[in-house]
Amino acid sequence: MIHRRDLLRLAPLLAAPLLARAADYPRQPINIVTPLAAGDAADRAARLMGQELGRLLGTPVTVTNRPGAGGSLGTQSVIRAARDGYTLLYAQNSPLTVRRVIEPEAADYDPLKDLVPLGLTTRSPSVLAVRKDAPFKTVRDLLDQARKTPNGIRIGNAGPGSVGDISVQLMNDAAGVTLGSINYKGAAPAITDLLGGHIDAVILALGAVGTHMSAGTLRGLALSSPFPEFATVPTLRQAGYKADLLGVWFGFFMPAGVPRPIVDTVASALEKVARDPAISAQLLPAGIAQEWKPASGLAEEITSEYGSVRDLLAPTLKSGK
């Protein structure tokens, strides 16, 4: 039987190989796992940042797409990865907050214990958008109409538990109305139905509807956070309500247990990447804004959002709806 005092004596010996590898890190390619489909705007962001990260660290950086289960599959694969600093996770908030509330059996992990946050690097606002000929000129117009006709306003989203689906419930709570949340299998069919007049509005990531807004076929009524290209579109709080739409943010993580010198090395390089204006210029047209929050800020964002979503959805989850 091994006593605790013997384990304490062995600890430095067990840690020595990891610390030795940390001293000459990196000495092999780094892989970024992202629980997103290849080819979308967020995937492009991962590849752009990965390329610059590799340049700063002096090693090749690859990107592996591992979508599925709302992002939980890719997240769990990184949790199980070797703790040597050569596997990173670039994930959006859904698998780190929302999925843990609505599907705790599938997302049975704690991102602040099973992962090491490195920093929040990018944000894509969600937007409440209507057709150009819609009678609602402002978000207040839409919510006033919803107050007169409960469930009469139908708002499409990208799927159950998406930022749009959660945002409809946030709006109902903030404004005391009853909006209908219509779940689609992705953003494209929701936009098609909106343009065809089958629903009244959508709440989707800005990257999905930004081109329609720029072309004038859709009008933005509210954003989850300000965005330079659409500076005249307010947030819900700016419009006078007590909560904002839920937006999409992205952060980098490593498996728990990676030596601190490696964590600090990668986090420092990521901060430079997140502040790079050349990358920002390529991402803004896709509806993605660069933003840097260090590990502590990312941890606070996860804790706060998880609590808010849990409290918001608690009555629905208890009723089994």
Side-chain angles (χ1 to χ4, degrees), residues 93-115:
N93 44 333
S94 177
L96 305 171
T97 59
V98 177
R99 289 289 165 183
R100 292 169 55 219
V101 175
I102 65 175
E103 293 182 324
E105 297 83 8
D108 58 344
Y109 47 78
D110 185 332
L112 301 182
K113 292 181 179 178
D114 300 321
L115 295 166

mmCIF file of all heavy atoms in Angstrom, residues 93-115:
data_model
loop_
_atom_site.group_PDB
_atom_site.id
_atom_site.type_symbol
_atom_site.label_atom_id
_atom_site.label_comp_id
_atom_site.label_asym_id
_atom_site.label_seq_id
_atom_site.Cartn_x
_atom_site.Cartn_y
_atom_site.Cartn_z
ATOM 1 N N ASN A 93 -19.358 29.183 -27.238
ATOM 2 C CA ASN A 93 -19.956 29.054 -25.911
ATOM 3 C C ASN A 93 -20.964 27.911 -25.787
ATOM 4 O O ASN A 93 -21.174 27.382 -24.702
ATOM 5 C CB ASN A 93 -20.618 30.360 -25.468
ATOM 6 C CG ASN A 93 -21.446 31.036 -26.545
ATOM 7 O OD1 ASN A 93 -21.202 30.882 -27.735
ATOM 8 N ND2 ASN A 93 -22.416 31.818 -26.132
ATOM 9 N N SER A 94 -21.577 27.476 -26.893
ATOM 10 C CA SER A 94 -22.633 26.470 -26.793
ATOM 11 C C SER A 94 -22.226 25.217 -26.015
ATOM 12 O O SER A 94 -22.899 24.847 -25.051
ATOM 13 C CB SER A 94 -23.131 26.085 -28.188
ATOM 14 O OG SER A 94 -24.093 25.058 -28.105
ATOM 15 N N PRO A 95 -21.132 24.518 -26.370
ATOM 16 C CA PRO A 95 -20.803 23.313 -25.609
ATOM 17 C C PRO A 95 -20.281 23.583 -24.207
ATOM 18 O O PRO A 95 -20.249 22.679 -23.369
ATOM 19 C CB PRO A 95 -19.715 22.650 -26.471
ATOM 20 C CG PRO A 95 -19.086 23.768 -27.214
ATOM 21 C CD PRO A 95 -20.207 24.723 -27.494
ATOM 22 N N LEU A 96 -19.885 24.827 -23.938
ATOM 23 C CA LEU A 96 -19.281 25.162 -22.651
ATOM 24 C C LEU A 96 -20.295 25.688 -21.641
ATOM 25 O O LEU A 96 -20.047 25.651 -20.435
ATOM 26 C CB LEU A 96 -18.175 26.206 -22.854
ATOM 27 C CG LEU A 96 -17.099 25.793 -23.863
ATOM 28 C CD1 LEU A 96 -16.188 26.968 -24.161
ATOM 29 C CD2 LEU A 96 -16.299 24.608 -23.357
ATOM 30 N N THR A 97 -21.444 26.160 -22.121
ATOM 31 C CA THR A 97 -22.468 26.706 -21.218
ATOM 32 C C THR A 97 -23.840 26.103 -21.519
ATOM 33 O O THR A 97 -24.371 25.327 -20.738
ATOM 34 C CB THR A 97 -22.532 28.240 -21.320
ATOM 35 O OG1 THR A 97 -22.844 28.637 -22.668
ATOM 36 C CG2 THR A 97 -21.206 28.874 -20.910
ATOM 37 N N VAL A 98 -24.397 26.402 -22.700
ATOM 38 C CA VAL A 98 -25.786 26.029 -23.006
ATOM 39 C C VAL A 98 -25.996 24.519 -22.979
ATOM 40 O O VAL A 98 -26.938 24.016 -22.352
ATOM 41 C CB VAL A 98 -26.211 26.600 -24.370
ATOM 42 C CG1 VAL A 98 -27.631 26.156 -24.705
ATOM 43 C CG2 VAL A 98 -26.119 28.124 -24.368
ATOM 44 N N ARG A 99 -25.138 23.767 -23.656
ATOM 45 C CA ARG A 99 -25.317 22.312 -23.731
ATOM 46 C C ARG A 99 -25.217 21.658 -22.367
ATOM 47 O O ARG A 99 -25.853 20.630 -22.111
ATOM 48 C CB ARG A 99 -24.275 21.706 -24.677
ATOM 49 C CG ARG A 99 -24.524 22.037 -26.132
ATOM 50 C CD ARG A 99 -25.725 21.313 -26.670
ATOM 51 N NE ARG A 99 -26.168 21.892 -27.952
ATOM 52 C CZ ARG A 99 -27.230 21.497 -28.626
ATOM 53 N NH1 ARG A 99 -27.973 20.522 -28.136
ATOM 54 N NH2 ARG A 99 -27.571 22.070 -29.750
ATOM 55 N N ARG A 100 -24.431 22.215 -21.483
ATOM 56 C CA ARG A 100 -24.306 21.649 -20.135
ATOM 57 C C ARG A 100 -25.610 21.802 -19.353
ATOM 58 O O ARG A 100 -25.851 21.056 -18.399
ATOM 59 C CB ARG A 100 -23.153 22.325 -19.388
ATOM 60 C CG ARG A 100 -21.783 21.991 -19.969
ATOM 61 C CD ARG A 100 -20.706 22.875 -19.380
ATOM 62 N NE ARG A 100 -20.700 22.799 -17.925
ATOM 63 C CZ ARG A 100 -20.486 23.854 -17.129
ATOM 64 N NH1 ARG A 100 -20.306 25.063 -17.655
ATOM 65 N NH2 ARG A 100 -20.476 23.705 -15.839
ATOM 66 N N VAL A 101 -26.442 22.759 -19.760
ATOM 67 C CA VAL A 101 -27.727 22.956 -19.103
ATOM 68 C C VAL A 101 -28.793 22.071 -19.722
ATOM 69 O O VAL A 101 -29.534 21.376 -19.022
ATOM 70 C CB VAL A 101 -28.169 24.440 -19.187
ATOM 71 C CG1 VAL A 101 -29.571 24.609 -18.596
ATOM 72 C CG2 VAL A 101 -27.181 25.339 -18.453
ATOM 73 N N ILE A 102 -28.875 22.060 -21.054
ATOM 74 C CA ILE A 102 -29.984 21.365 -21.708
ATOM 75 C C ILE A 102 -29.698 19.886 -21.965
ATOM 76 O O ILE A 102 -30.628 19.105 -22.123
ATOM 77 C CB ILE A 102 -30.391 22.071 -23.018
ATOM 78 C CG1 ILE A 102 -29.258 22.013 -24.051
ATOM 79 C CG2 ILE A 102 -30.797 23.499 -22.754
ATOM 80 C CD1 ILE A 102 -29.643 22.591 -25.407
ATOM 81 N N GLU A 103 -28.415 19.493 -22.027
ATOM 82 C CA GLU A 103 -28.053 18.092 -22.251
ATOM 83 C C GLU A 103 -26.913 17.683 -21.315
ATOM 84 O O GLU A 103 -25.815 17.354 -21.767
ATOM 85 C CB GLU A 103 -27.638 17.864 -23.698
ATOM 86 C CG GLU A 103 -28.766 18.033 -24.697
ATOM 87 C CD GLU A 103 -28.318 17.737 -26.122
ATOM 88 O OE1 GLU A 103 -27.165 18.062 -26.461
ATOM 89 O OE2 GLU A 103 -29.119 17.180 -26.878
ATOM 90 N N PRO A 104 -27.154 17.709 -20.007
ATOM 91 C CA PRO A 104 -26.073 17.432 -19.060
ATOM 92 C C PRO A 104 -25.502 16.017 -19.175
ATOM 93 O O PRO A 104 -24.350 15.795 -18.808
ATOM 94 C CB PRO A 104 -26.737 17.659 -17.693
ATOM 95 C CG PRO A 104 -28.204 17.508 -17.937
ATOM 96 C CD PRO A 104 -28.431 18.003 -19.328
ATOM 97 N N GLU A 105 -26.287 15.081 -19.698
ATOM 98 C CA GLU A 105 -25.765 13.715 -19.849
ATOM 99 C C GLU A 105 -24.714 13.648 -20.951
ATOM 100 O O GLU A 105 -23.715 12.931 -20.832
ATOM 101 C CB GLU A 105 -26.893 12.731 -20.179
ATOM 102 C CG GLU A 105 -27.948 12.596 -19.092
ATOM 103 C CD GLU A 105 -28.998 13.706 -19.160
ATOM 104 O OE1 GLU A 105 -28.976 14.487 -20.148
ATOM 105 O OE2 GLU A 105 -29.834 13.793 -18.250
ATOM 106 N N ALA A 106 -24.924 14.407 -22.024
ATOM 107 C CA ALA A 106 -23.964 14.412 -23.136
ATOM 108 C C ALA A 106 -22.779 15.332 -22.845
ATOM 109 O O ALA A 106 -21.638 15.021 -23.185
ATOM 110 C CB ALA A 106 -24.651 14.849 -24.424
ATOM 111 N N ALA A 107 -23.067 16.462 -22.230
ATOM 112 C CA ALA A 107 -22.006 17.428 -21.897
ATOM 113 C C ALA A 107 -21.667 17.314 -20.413
ATOM 114 O O ALA A 107 -21.818 18.264 -19.642
ATOM 115 C CB ALA A 107 -22.470 18.844 -22.248
ATOM 116 N N ASP A 108 -21.201 16.122 -20.028
ATOM 117 C CA ASP A 108 -20.953 15.839 -18.608
ATOM 118 C C ASP A 108 -19.525 16.197 -18.209
ATOM 119 O O ASP A 108 -18.748 15.339 -17.783
ATOM 120 C CB ASP A 108 -21.248 14.372 -18.299
ATOM 121 C CG ASP A 108 -20.408 13.429 -19.141
ATOM 122 O OD1 ASP A 108 -19.840 13.889 -20.161
ATOM 123 O OD2 ASP A 108 -20.309 12.243 -18.772
ATOM 124 N N TYR A 109 -19.171 17.457 -18.380
ATOM 125 C CA TYR A 109 -17.821 17.931 -18.051
ATOM 126 C C TYR A 109 -17.916 19.337 -17.490
ATOM 127 O O TYR A 109 -18.947 20.024 -17.623
ATOM 128 C CB TYR A 109 -16.922 17.909 -19.301
ATOM 129 C CG TYR A 109 -17.575 18.532 -20.527
ATOM 130 C CD1 TYR A 109 -17.659 19.914 -20.690
ATOM 131 C CD2 TYR A 109 -18.146 17.726 -21.518
ATOM 132 C CE1 TYR A 109 -18.273 20.473 -21.794
ATOM 133 C CE2 TYR A 109 -18.759 18.277 -22.620
ATOM 134 C CZ TYR A 109 -18.821 19.653 -22.762
ATOM 135 O OH TYR A 109 -19.448 20.210 -23.858
ATOM 136 N N ASP A 110 -16.844 19.757 -16.868
ATOM 137 C CA ASP A 110 -16.740 21.114 -16.328
ATOM 138 C C ASP A 110 -15.585 21.801 -17.047
ATOM 139 O O ASP A 110 -14.421 21.420 -16.859
ATOM 140 C CB ASP A 110 -16.475 21.064 -14.816
ATOM 141 C CG ASP A 110 -16.477 22.454 -14.184
ATOM 142 O OD1 ASP A 110 -16.155 23.435 -14.878
ATOM 143 O OD2 ASP A 110 -16.788 22.547 -12.980
ATOM 144 N N PRO A 111 -15.862 22.799 -17.888
ATOM 145 C CA PRO A 111 -14.790 23.426 -18.674
ATOM 146 C C PRO A 111 -13.750 24.152 -17.833
ATOM 147 O O PRO A 111 -12.667 24.455 -18.334
ATOM 148 C CB PRO A 111 -15.548 24.406 -19.579
ATOM 149 C CG PRO A 111 -16.835 24.664 -18.884
ATOM 150 C CD PRO A 111 -17.181 23.390 -18.174
ATOM 151 N N LEU A 112 -14.055 24.415 -16.569
ATOM 152 C CA LEU A 112 -13.085 25.101 -15.714
ATOM 153 C C LEU A 112 -12.300 24.130 -14.837
ATOM 154 O O LEU A 112 -11.389 24.546 -14.130
ATOM 155 C CB LEU A 112 -13.802 26.139 -14.841
ATOM 156 C CG LEU A 112 -14.563 27.216 -15.615
ATOM 157 C CD1 LEU A 112 -15.186 28.227 -14.670
ATOM 158 C CD2 LEU A 112 -13.654 27.916 -16.628
ATOM 159 N N LYS A 113 -12.648 22.844 -14.893
ATOM 160 C CA LYS A 113 -11.894 21.826 -14.161
ATOM 161 C C LYS A 113 -11.238 20.824 -15.117
ATOM 162 O O LYS A 113 -10.108 20.402 -14.892
ATOM 163 C CB LYS A 113 -12.813 21.078 -13.191
ATOM 164 C CG LYS A 113 -13.314 21.933 -12.034
ATOM 165 C CD LYS A 113 -14.198 21.127 -11.097
ATOM 166 C CE LYS A 113 -14.685 21.977 -9.931
ATOM 167 N NZ LYS A 113 -15.592 21.218 -9.016
ATOM 168 N N ASP A 114 -11.962 20.463 -16.161
ATOM 169 C CA ASP A 114 -11.446 19.484 -17.114
ATOM 170 C C ASP A 114 -10.611 20.127 -18.216
ATOM 171 O O ASP A 114 -9.919 19.428 -18.964
ATOM 172 C CB ASP A 114 -12.598 18.704 -17.742
ATOM 173 C CG ASP A 114 -13.410 17.956 -16.695
ATOM 174 O OD1 ASP A 114 -12.800 17.426 -15.750
ATOM 175 O OD2 ASP A 114 -14.646 17.922 -16.806
ATOM 176 N N LEU A 115 -10.705 21.446 -18.333
ATOM 177 C CA LEU A 115 -9.936 22.206 -19.310
ATOM 178 C C LEU A 115 -9.231 23.368 -18.621
ATOM 179 O O LEU A 115 -9.626 23.775 -17.527
ATOM 180 C CB LEU A 115 -10.843 22.747 -20.418
ATOM 181 C CG LEU A 115 -11.529 21.732 -21.331
ATOM 182 C CD1 LEU A 115 -12.640 22.411 -22.135
ATOM 183 C CD2 LEU A 115 -10.524 21.080 -22.270
#
